[in-house]
Amino acid sequence: MTDTTAANAQGSLDGNVLFYSKPEPLSAEMHGALGVNPVDKPYAFVSSSHVVPMTVTEFAPASLSYPVVFLGENKMPVAVMGLRSGENLFVSAAGEFRADAYIPAYVRRYPFVFANDQAQQRLILCIDRAAPFITEGGQAPLFVDGKPSDYVNQAMDFCNNFEQERLRTESFVKLLNDLDLFEVKEAVFTPRDANGQPGQPQKLADYFAVSEEKLKTLSAEKLAELRDNGALGQIYAHLVSLLGWDRLVAMAFERARQNGEIAGNA
């Protein structure tokens, strides 16, 4: 598992933000006639991504669905939703999210996103003009009488909250780095034959995770500090989430059976 997605998820106005193929600064002049139509299955844009960025406050709810790991030089936290690039085991090609799976905020904010205006030192609300549910005369208008609609104002609030969580996540990762708590780990799958005998282990991914051994070496004072600022709970949620690799393997085999790629038991 490479850090390509981690790099692309940073992005700005040039269109290299994960999921956003045509982001444009939102304005009444350009988008005054546009609106959003309700869609029963709106998540097709996620179906070809096997990882999705996470914020730290999402670790606990996400841990019930996915492994939450850290990728790339910046150690960006992501939810792992598939075992191979281009395949998401939780989202169908039609855009339906599994009913029992947590939907990350990074996904829920789409088609809106903030971009940095470095010249003005401010954030600009952008919209992915390529989103298929944004159309001329859509049911929920983006602007009313030339002013942002309630729909857009709610999106602005969501993106503001997301930005605060993103900054909080950066601080959390810096804390883990400063405490030297990261280690490189491997997700490994051991296949079994028809008789249940184990075969050659197969590596699924390399990633960064918190080292339980390093965590144990922290002083009582430092552990109490992590407990009191909430970081310890997020660390444990991350560690518990790593049990989800087995679920991903089972889901991958089930999809392969459904697609006729394999037969019988894995």
Side-chain angles (χ1 to χ4, degrees):
M1 184 178 296
T2 67
D3 63 351
T4 302
T5 301
N8 288 345
Q10 299 298 320
S12 61
L13 279 176
D14 57 6
N16 65 346
V17 189
L18 179 66
F19 302 146
Y20 297 77
S21 60
K22 193 179 178 183
E24 299 175 352
L26 189 64
S27 71
E29 291 74 21
M30 291 182 61
H31 309 112
L34 299 181
V36 178
N37 288 322
V39 182
D40 290 336
K41 302 174 182 178
Y43 300 112
F45 65 92
V46 193
S47 63
S48 60
S49 181
H50 68 302
V51 295
V52 173
M54 299 288 297
T55 61
V56 64
T57 52
E58 297 180 281
F59 284 15
S63 68
L64 301 176
S65 301
Y66 324 104
V68 176
V69 305
F70 299 84
L71 296 183
E73 182 180 350
N74 293 332
K75 298 182 176 63
M76 172 181 284
V78 300
V80 183
M81 298 186 179
L83 297 180
R84 56 188 180 186
S85 181
E87 181 180 67
N88 191 313
L89 296 170
F90 291 84
V91 184
S92 71
E96 184 175 12
F97 227 106
R98 282 180 63 106
D100 61 345
Y102 174 77
I103 303 178
Y106 194 99
V107 171
R108 285 182 277 124
R109 71 173 177 171
Y110 186 86
F112 297 94
V113 64
F114 273 145
N116 285 316
D117 181 352
Q118 295 184 353
Q120 300 292 328
Q121 294 187 334
R122 60 175 181 170
L123 294 173
I124 300 175
L125 185 66
C126 298
I127 192 166
D128 187 2
R129 186 62 184 87
F133 44 83
I134 297 177
T135 62
E136 295 278 345
Q139 184 172 323
L142 300 182
F143 291 89
V144 176
D145 296 329
K147 297 181 180 179
S149 65
D150 289 343
Y151 181 87
V152 168
N153 287 329
Q154 291 172 6
M156 175 73 81
D157 289 342
F158 190 94
C159 288
N160 272 319
N161 291 334
F162 184 89
E163 178 65 13
Q164 294 303 311
E165 293 301 326
R166 186 188 67 79
L167 295 174
R168 185 176 290 112
T169 301
E170 288 184 352
S171 297
F172 174 78
V173 172
K174 182 180 185 302
L175 174 62
L176 299 188
N177 265 322
D178 291 346
L179 294 175
D180 190 28
L181 289 180
F182 283 115
E183 66 176 351
V184 176
K185 297 193 71 172
E186 294 182 350
V188 177
F189 165 64
T190 302
R192 295 182 179 272
D193 62 22
N195 298 319
Q197 296 301 310
Q200 187 68 26
Q202 301 175 14
K203 184 168 71 171
L204 301 175
D206 292 316
Y207 59 92
F208 290 104
V210 172
S211 166
E212 293 186 67
E213 292 304 314
K214 290 182 177 181
L215 189 63
K216 291 177 183 177
T217 64
L218 295 180
S219 67
E221 291 79 12
K222 180 56 67 174
L223 285 171
E225 179 182 330
L226 294 178
R227 178 200 64 205
D228 293 343
N229 66 20
L232 191 59
Q234 308 297 359
I235 290 171
Y236 285 142
H238 151 66
L239 292 173
V240 168
S241 80
L242 300 182
L243 299 174
W245 285 108
D246 288 341
R247 183 189 186 194
L248 282 181
V249 170
M251 292 174 65
F253 273 111
E254 179 60 27
R255 176 170 289 190
R257 277 192 288 267
Q258 292 175 353
N259 294 338
E261 298 173 17
I262 60 174
N265 296 325

